[in-house]
Amino acid sequence: MLKQLAVFASGNGTNFIALHDAIKTRPIPATIALLICDQPKAPVIQKAQALNVPVLIVDFHDYANKAAAEQIILTALQKAQVDAILLAGYMRIIGPTLLNAYPHRILNIHPALLPHFPGRHGIEDAFAAGVTETGVTIHYIDAGIDTGQIIGQRPVAVKPDDTLTSLATRIHTVEHQFYPDVLQSLINEGAI
Ligand code: GAR
């Protein structure tokens, strides 16, 4: 049985593309049934549409509160029979409506070695701190900010001549391999 996945994204969507490509080219028995986007102008929307991935745009400003917006998302996820959610640059804290509906079924990718440098600026914060090593973390989502159980991490060295841009490029390259690797492992293990 193909696992039905939803990707949540707010921005560029390079991780969405990497996941989509990997599912097409590797033996990953899954399909991206839905892209959820909370930013109506995000580039990821056009990328998904070009690949015929159904898109649901949920502008949280249109709803009275987070629970109301997440209820719209949950209804769409249930209609699409989604088994697991992959956050890929989704810049919003997941609330109890979705957390309770998908326990241990919501993954996130973060561009730093958690618990170091959580939040929106993981790459910039690590670079500014002058660390010699940072990396990428994939973890389950809980109610905190980047605090859920860690599934795996990949280190990325910070080179003496790195700029923020060169470091970010290397981190993104690792992300684009690592997220599909973790997805493939979890599906093989029956964890999704
Ligand atoms: C990625 O680097 C992801 O790790 C990061 O946002 C970027 C999204 O890029 N996520 C976070 O910082 C979450 N705290 P993309 O839209 O090109 O996939």
Side-chain angles (χ1 to χ4, degrees):
M1 275 289 282
L2 282 186
K3 295 297 175 186
Q4 303 295 314
L5 306 174
V7 175
F8 286 30
S10 304
N12 265 333
T14 64
N15 279 285
F16 163 77
I17 292 289
L19 288 163
H20 186 275
D21 287 354
I23 287 168
K24 295 288 171 213
T25 56
R26 301 187 193 191
I28 301 179
T31 186
I32 300 179
L34 196 56
L35 173 82
I36 303 289
C37 183
D38 63 327
Q39 300 296 328
K41 294 184 178 160
V44 67
I45 295 170
Q46 285 194 358
K47 288 179 174 138
Q49 287 168 340
L51 293 166
N52 292 318
V53 173
V55 177
L56 176 65
I57 301 166
V58 178
D59 186 341
F60 279 55
H61 300 110
D62 293 343
Y63 298 89
N65 51 43
K66 178 177 284 197
E70 286 197 342
Q71 187 56 52
I72 298 293
I73 295 174
L74 181 56
T75 300
L77 297 176
Q78 289 172 336
K79 193 170 167 216
Q81 299 188 310
V82 164
D83 298 299
I85 297 168
L86 305 177
L87 307 186
Y90 183 71
M91 297 302 186
R92 204 171 270 283
I93 306 297
I94 299 288
T97 305
L98 291 173
L99 274 179
N100 294 338
Y102 285 91
H104 250 71
R105 289 286 188 282
I106 311 179
L107 277 60
N108 183 43
I109 186 162
H110 183 75
L113 295 177
L114 293 172
H116 303 292
F117 311 115
R120 285 171 170 257
H121 305 291
I123 302 174
E124 292 88 337
D125 292 347
F127 187 73
V131 294
T132 54
E133 184 181 76
T134 181
V136 177
T137 302
I138 295 177
H139 64 100
Y140 289 110
I141 284 290
D142 66 9
I145 299 178
D146 299 327
T147 51
Q149 181 195 335
I150 291 173
I151 300 168
Q153 294 185 307
R154 273 197 193 160
V156 173
V158 183
K159 298 177 182 170
D161 61 348
D162 257 334
T163 62
L164 180 57
T165 305
S166 64
L167 177 62
T169 301
R170 266 199 334 283
I171 288 179
H172 291 314
T173 301
V174 170
E175 287 189 314
H176 299 161
Q177 282 293 324
F178 189 31
Y179 217 173
D181 289 350
V182 168
L183 174 65
Q184 193 167 356
S185 298
L186 290 177
I187 291 180
N188 284 342
E189 292 163 11
I192 288 179

